[in-house]
Amino acid sequence: DAGITQSPRHKVTETGTPVTLRCHQTENHRYMYWYRQDPGHGLRLIHYSYGVKDTDKGEVSDGYSVSRSKTEDFLLTLESATSSQTSVYFCAISESRPWGDQPQHFGDGTRLSIL
Amino acid sequence: DQQVKQNSPSLSVQEGRISILNCDYTNSMFDYFLWYKKYPAEGPTFLISISSIKDKNEDGRFTVFLNKSAKHLSLHIVPSQPGDSAVYFCAARGNNAGNMLTFGGGTRLMVKP
């Protein structure tokens, strides 16, 4: 299994509070991703990183920010959590080559409930 | 608008029979297609992929078929086993530097003993 650790695994918090989720990898992969999984929507990309301090927005980035100060760590922050951000959050990593398939490998997720 | 769709939210199959999971896409620029399997409380696990220049890829009990003209792919599992019971996601990769994937909504497969 790819060395990906997400923390915390579960969190319950209140609307309006800041929340930070952490993704840590031991594979030294260049690319890291944050997704959210909701019923009927599959996995939707929030933000991704293509290197230290290099990040970009995904499909559902509003209300989220990210940071990557080291290759191994990718943080997802909800500055002021809302109930619509209740979801399961997955981190993924991948290498990248200009051609050829490079599957993303996923962590085990963080279940976040915002009351 | 969803670019990758899995129109069957669930599928039930008898052990030993074939499971066929389907996926449709709209973006003709996708160059790789992947299938992931997900068990409860775990992350998705990569299963099999296919390049857009091929129409079939096989790995043991799993075969993925791609029909580019119909923008359709399918995953065949033969024979199905109870341990195959999971949610299956298809995903597609466009020609992008970030290796980003677009996922379908998933199909829950139940294999009955």
Side-chain angles (χ1 to χ4, degrees), chain A residues 40-94:
Chain A
H41 290 279
L43 290 96
R44 292 181 292 174
L45 182 66
I46 305 171
H47 282 279
Y48 73 100
S49 170
Y50 47 96
V52 173
K53 292 186 170 37
D54 292 322
T55 65
D56 207 347
K57 295 178 179 180
E59 178 187 0
V60 290
S61 59
D62 288 347
Y64 302 94
S65 62
V66 290
S67 66
R68 190 167 178 201
S69 59
K70 297 185 290 185
T71 298
E72 58 266 34
D73 289 326
F74 192 32
L75 303 181
L76 176 71
T77 297
L78 291 65
E79 300 289 349
S80 178
T82 67
S83 58
S84 64
Q85 294 175 310
T86 292
S87 187
V88 181
Y89 291 85
F90 288 99
C91 173
I93 64 174
S94 77

Side-chain angles (χ1 to χ4, degrees), chain A residues 4-71:
Chain A
I4 307 169
T5 304
Q6 290 187 233
S7 59
R9 292 294 315 277
H10 302 272
K11 186 172 182 67
V12 180
T13 190
E14 294 183 348
T15 300
T17 60
V19 177
T20 295
L21 309 183
R22 179 181 184 238
C23 178
H24 178 79
Q25 60 145 329
T26 57
E27 306 296 320
N28 200 34
H29 283 357
R30 178 182 178 189
Y31 287 84
M32 299 185 75
Y33 312 82
W34 276 108
Y35 291 88
R36 59 180 288 174
Q37 185 199 0
D38 303 291
H41 290 279
L43 290 96
R44 292 181 292 174
L45 182 66
I46 305 171
H47 282 279
Y48 73 100
S49 170
Y50 47 96
V52 173
K53 292 186 170 37
D54 292 322
T55 65
D56 207 347
K57 295 178 179 180
E59 178 187 0
V60 290
S61 59
D62 288 347
Y64 302 94
S65 62
V66 290
S67 66
R68 190 167 178 201
S69 59
K70 297 185 290 185
T71 298

